[in-house]
Amino acid sequence: MRLLLIAPLALFLSGCLLDTVTGGSAATSPSAAATSPAMNLPVFLARLEAARGTALTVAEKSQVSTAAQATRSLIDNTQQRFLNATGQAVGLDGATLGLLFPKAAQPLAQAEFLSKLEAQAGRRLGGTETQAAKAALALRNNSLSSLKSGLAGKVGGAVGLDGPTVEALLPLLGF
């Protein structure tokens, strides 16, 4: 009976890993693919096992995979909200801004962000536009930081590692 419960989970997990390795995923939208680097889940899982000193169970791998995919989705949503809010504030299209700021999971520096916005707009931004853009940027960067530390905590709790150890491995997932 237990085998009947574990077998589908193992097949699902191996399918997720295969999709990650081959670069394909039916759940990845074209806009998310343009803003998100591929997650290298198999290497991340291997590094977690190395840091822990023991192999992860199928259930642990499933928990980690689910948490990473959920965080990727939240990061992509945060990026879209940021692009749309910034576009509205300065009068530019969110899709155009997505080309200027494609790294959804990496924080942006304020000076570089504002100079790229002004270059794209072809003018200096007004005071209200600048303040709105800065507020959108701060919210984005703070949200990314919170999502990453939350993921590190979830994964660490699931596999028995501390948050900082897991957080150091997050770049393997594109975070």
Side-chain angles (χ1 to χ4, degrees):
M1 180 62 129
R2 186 173 180 157
L3 181 61
L4 291 175
L5 295 174
I6 295 175
L9 180 61
L11 290 173
F12 170 76
L13 184 58
S14 66
C16 289
L17 295 177
L18 182 59
D19 281 350
T20 303
V21 171
T22 60
S25 175
T28 304
S29 69
S31 62
T35 60
S36 304
M39 291 194 317
N40 196 345
L41 191 58
V43 173
F44 181 71
L45 293 171
R47 294 281 176 87
L48 287 175
E49 290 174 331
R52 186 169 87 165
T54 61
L56 299 175
T57 66
V58 171
E60 289 170 332
K61 288 179 182 181
S62 178
Q63 287 178 316
V64 170
S65 175
T66 300
Q69 290 171 352
T71 300
R72 168 58 65 202
S73 179
L74 291 170
I75 286 174
D76 290 341
N77 289 338
T78 298
Q79 178 75 350
Q80 283 304 313
R81 284 192 309 272
F82 160 72
L83 294 172
N84 292 335
T86 302
Q88 250 183 344
V90 300
L92 295 171
D93 180 55
T96 302
L97 293 176
L99 297 173
L100 288 177
F101 310 110
K103 296 180 180 177
Q106 302 305 315
L108 293 172
Q110 183 174 301
E112 178 185 2
F113 167 67
L114 291 173
S115 72
K116 283 185 177 183
L117 277 181
E118 289 177 342
Q120 184 65 35
R123 61 181 171 77
R124 297 263 313 154
L125 298 178
T128 304
E129 292 172 317
T130 300
Q131 291 306 317
K134 285 180 180 179
L137 178 65
L139 178 60
R140 175 198 182 274
N141 285 344
N142 291 339
S143 295
L144 290 177
S145 177
S146 177
L147 289 169
K148 288 177 187 181
S149 64
L151 176 61
K154 281 182 190 173
V155 170
V159 302
L161 292 171
D162 64 354
T165 299
V166 176
E167 202 158 347
L169 298 174
L170 290 182
L172 293 170
L173 295 175
F175 299 148

